[in-house]
């Protein structure tokens, strides 16, 4: 019989609710504790999702029956919260953006290695069935010459503080631009040249961000994120033998795959497995299995990939002139 893995959730916002619901779909995953900065919020969360225990962050990290903690707080707080978990001997699945910058990421990775603890970035897209299929199709497209992806929406009032607050790593790049950047890196690898510009918000963070990756082999990627406009939030990968389009919300489980072996009138739909839940069950299942196998790192989303993403985001911000308070520490 497989070992049950005890889960905890740190942070009780919208994304934490989606994970709590999806953990019910994962065999051998047992959600045992939820924690919030204000314990009363954790108690209400626990009642809604039938979690047996709730409290503050310290209560969570000191629970002997919790094996792994899902960190679901704003990314400006990830460094502090992941460190708290690791220092108390807990494995961690941390939401993206993983940290504010690469320096923080390296420090957390070093701490996890020293403690012999599992640590993974919660990049759910990498584990979704449609994206697994997309990666398979991409291998048939020949020489990949072009990647295009955008993610944009207009925040509705009341606008969350994390959206524009520099102290929390605000701006479109770290909030939603991580998805287009992730896609380009996954398909084309580390770029040889990066160019980026932004439209600044009143707080100084990027309200819009336009990015170009160039590669020595001639490939290009054009990436865009915005809090100014609502966009299709789709993606295209084009090669010498065809093109693959990931439709609206390309990063999530509702996206569809469209394959074009020739011009637009050659479109073929590719069917993939549909998620039973919100789509978080796939990464949660992977982490549960990694812990059952005694792994300290994911073979699917290894820490080197997370570090490359963070280093690339740093390089993009440097091009735009966007500096956060955490960069000055």
């Amino acid at each position: 019989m497989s070992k049950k893995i005890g889960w905890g959730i740190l942070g009780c916002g919208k994304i934490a609710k989606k994970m709590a619901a999806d953990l019910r779909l994962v065999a051998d995953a047992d959600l045992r504790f939820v924690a919030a900065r204000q314990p009363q919020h954790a108690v209400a969360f626990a009642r809604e999702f039938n979690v047996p225990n709730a409290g503050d962050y310290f209560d969570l990290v000191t629970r002997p029956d919790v094996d792994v903690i899902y960190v679901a707080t704003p990314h400006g707080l990830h460094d502090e919260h992941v460190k708290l978990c690791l220092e108390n001997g807990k494995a961690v699945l941390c939401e993206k953006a993983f940290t504010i910058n690469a320096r923080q990421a390296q420090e957390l990775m070093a701490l996890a290695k020293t403690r012999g603890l599992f640590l993974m970035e919660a990049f759910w897209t990498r584990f979704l069935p449609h994206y697994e299929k997309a990666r398979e199709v991409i291998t048939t497209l020949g020489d990949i010459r072009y990647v295009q992806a955008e993610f944009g929406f207009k925040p509705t009032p009341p606008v969350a503080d994390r959206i524009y607050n520099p102290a929390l790593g605000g701006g479109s790049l770290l909030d939603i631009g991580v998805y287009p950047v992730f896609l380009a890196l996954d398909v084309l690898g580390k770029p040889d040249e990066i160019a980026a510009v932004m439209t600044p918000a009143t707080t100084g963070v990027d309200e819009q961000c336009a990015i170009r990756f160039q590669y020595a082999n001639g490939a290009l990627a054009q990436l865009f994120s915005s809090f100014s406009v609502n966009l299709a939030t789709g993606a295209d990968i084009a090669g010498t033998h065809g093109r693959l389009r990931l439709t609206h919300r390309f990063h999530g489980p509702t996206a569809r795959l469209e394959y074009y072996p020739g011009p637009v009138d050659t479109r073929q739909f590719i069917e993939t497995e549909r998620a039973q839940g919100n789509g978080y069950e796939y990464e949660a299942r992977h982490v549960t299995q990694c812990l059952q196998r005694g792994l300290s790192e994911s073979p699917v989303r290894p820490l080197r990939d997370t570090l490359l993403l963070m280093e690339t985001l740093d390089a993009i911000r440097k091009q735009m002139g966007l500096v956060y308070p955490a960069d000055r520490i």
Side-chain angles (χ1 to χ4, degrees):
M1 181 180 289
S2 299
K3 176 192 173 185
K4 283 274 188 181
I5 299 298
W7 280 76
I9 295 179
L10 192 154
C12 291
K14 290 181 181 178
I15 199 167
K17 290 185 176 183
K18 292 179 180 181
M19 176 61 84
D22 284 4
L23 278 170
R24 298 169 177 169
L25 302 173
V26 180
D28 297 327
D30 187 16
L31 181 54
R32 295 171 179 171
F33 201 103
V34 294
R37 187 175 61 247
Q38 297 177 307
Q40 65 269 27
H41 292 164
V43 171
F45 186 106
R47 189 179 300 118
E48 180 179 355
F49 291 96
N50 197 30
V51 182
N53 304 288
D56 62 24
Y57 298 159
F58 185 74
D59 294 333
L60 169 60
V61 299
T62 54
R63 290 282 301 198
D65 60 341
V66 170
D67 302 300
V68 58
I69 295 174
Y70 171 60
V71 174
T73 49
H75 49 260
L77 302 173
H78 288 173
D79 182 54
E80 172 190 349
H81 292 157
V82 173
K83 195 172 296 181
L84 176 67
C85 296
L86 294 173
E87 287 176 342
N88 282 276
K90 302 301 182 187
V92 176
L93 172 65
C94 178
E95 262 307 328
K96 70 220 144 341
F98 189 69
T99 50
I100 293 286
N101 54 41
R103 175 186 55 79
Q104 290 181 343
Q106 287 174 315
E107 290 174 354
L108 293 178
M109 292 172 188
L111 178 59
K113 184 176 182 179
T114 299
R115 299 293 181 100
L117 293 168
F118 181 89
L119 176 63
M120 191 185 96
E121 175 190 24
F123 222 109
W124 68 320
T125 306
R126 179 61 185 83
F127 300 89
L128 294 173
H130 84 281
Y131 191 73
E132 292 278 13
K133 184 63 176 180
R135 296 180 95 242
E136 179 184 321
V137 174
I138 288 167
T139 65
T140 71
L141 297 181
D143 185 15
I144 304 301
R145 309 302 293 158
Y146 179 66
V147 172
Q148 181 277 328
E150 84 283 334
F151 195 146
F153 72 93
K154 295 174 68 174
T156 55
V159 177
D161 186 40
R162 66 175 171 79
I163 294 292
Y164 293 116
N165 188 340
L168 294 178
S172 72
L173 178 64
L174 292 195
D175 195 272
I176 55 178
V178 292
Y179 287 106
V181 175
F182 156 81
L183 180 66
L185 292 177
D186 196 43
V187 175
L188 293 173
K190 182 178 180 179
D192 294 293
E193 293 184 32
I194 296 173
V197 294
M198 73 172 184
T199 303
T202 56
T203 59
V205 302
D206 64 296
E207 186 164 54
Q208 295 195 124
C209 175
I211 306 159
R212 184 182 73 249
F213 288 175
Q214 290 181 266
Y215 294 82
N217 67 356
L220 294 169
Q222 289 184 297
L223 317 169
F224 187 71
S225 59
S226 178
F227 286 146
S228 298
V229 292
N230 294 312
L231 297 174
T233 306
D236 281 278
I237 299 100
T240 51
H241 297 160
R243 175 170 65 92
L244 179 67
R245 176 155 184 82
L246 286 69
T247 64
H248 176 61
R249 292 184 60 79
F250 73 90
H251 61 288
T254 59
R256 300 284 180 173
L257 301 183
E258 298 175 354
Y259 170 59
Y260 297 81
V264 293
D265 59 357
T266 64
R267 180 175 63 179
Q268 301 172 18
F269 294 101
I270 300 175
E271 294 300 322
T272 59
E273 175 188 333
R274 311 314 291 177
Q276 287 182 276
N278 299 295
Y280 294 87
E281 65 266 34
Y282 296 98
E283 65 177 354
R285 184 174 296 115
H286 176 74
V287 171
T288 296
Q289 293 170 348
C290 284
L291 293 174
Q292 288 175 327
R293 293 166 57 192
L295 302 181
S296 59
E297 190 172 337
S298 165
V300 176
R301 186 62 181 168
L303 294 176
R304 66 174 180 273
D305 289 354
T306 296
L307 184 58
L308 174 60
L309 176 56
M310 292 310 308
E311 289 172 341
T312 305
L313 294 171
D314 281 0
I316 292 167
R317 288 199 294 114
K318 183 176 181 179
Q319 286 279 313
M320 300 191 304
L322 176 53
V323 179
Y324 292 121
D327 297 323
R328 300 188 177 99
I329 297 174

